[in-house]
Amino acid sequence: MTDDHTSGPLPDEITLGRIETEVALLMRFGEATRRATGTAEHRVLDRAAYVILRHLDTAGPQNVSALAATLNLDGSTVTRQVSAMQRDGLIARTPDPADGRGTVISPTAAGLQRMAAVQAARTRLYGEILAAWDEGDRDTLAELLRRLNEALNSRNRSRSTR
């Protein structure tokens, strides 16, 4: 969009366009890096299982509905993922103390061990990638990514309640 006094994009539009490009590249290069990384540690869990286990490790046991809402996913998608994870021994289902008809999902020791291996491998990888960055720049990047994820999550939550 332009205004009547300029012949090109407004500065904010240019910046937002740069952000869009960089986020698209981040997703592409992140996936390419994940696939190209030779260590088995990166592949002991698929992305969905890793995200679910990370969340359960932080938030504690949850039912599928709460997990789906938190991860902004359809309940049937989470149910399929959780079923596969249960078959692989990564999570356990136990009766929901708040609702005896339901179950809660919690990580098993094996699930947490695999999650920790992937997390450690990813942390080492980012340490290598960002080795030339000073600590302040790494800290700024971490904070800005946290804020971006928070804003994305907030937007997704507000749209799903409409």
Side-chain angles (χ1 to χ4, degrees):
M1 178 183 290
T2 61
D3 67 20
D4 295 336
H5 306 291
T6 64
S7 60
L10 297 172
D12 193 46
E13 289 175 321
I14 293 170
T15 300
L16 294 173
R18 287 178 53 213
I19 292 168
E20 183 281 327
T21 298
E22 295 303 329
V23 169
L25 289 171
L26 175 66
M27 293 187 307
R28 171 68 188 107
F29 293 147
E31 178 59 21
T33 301
R34 185 190 68 80
R35 281 195 321 268
T37 300
T39 64
E41 293 168 307
H42 289 272
R43 294 197 256 294
V44 297
L45 287 174
D46 67 29
R47 283 179 301 192
Y50 180 73
V51 169
I52 289 171
L53 287 167
R54 287 288 309 259
H55 176 70
L56 291 173
D57 185 42
T58 302
Q62 295 191 345
N63 64 37
V64 170
S65 298
L67 194 54
T70 298
L71 300 176
N72 199 29
L73 294 169
D74 182 71
S76 63
T77 300
V78 174
T79 297
R80 282 191 304 277
Q81 291 169 336
V82 163
S83 293
M85 291 172 69
Q86 186 176 15
R87 279 191 306 274
D88 292 342
L90 303 174
I91 58 100
R93 293 180 194 247
T94 55
D96 186 340
D99 176 6
R101 299 168 294 167
T103 60
V104 292
I105 312 304
S106 56
T108 62
L112 291 175
Q113 184 178 20
R114 284 198 203 174
M115 181 207 68
V118 172
Q119 184 178 16
R122 289 179 175 183
T123 299
R124 282 192 304 276
L125 176 64
Y126 285 114
E128 293 168 14
I129 291 168
L130 301 174
W133 292 34
D134 69 43
E135 184 179 346
D137 285 347
R138 289 191 306 265
D139 189 55
T140 298
L141 176 62
E143 178 58 18
L144 291 174
L145 288 170
R146 183 198 64 75
R147 288 176 53 198
L148 176 61
N149 282 325
E150 188 176 275
L152 289 168
N153 191 36
S154 177
R155 178 180 173 85
N156 291 334
R157 285 182 186 276
S158 69
R159 287 182 168 256
S160 67
T161 59
R162 288 183 188 172

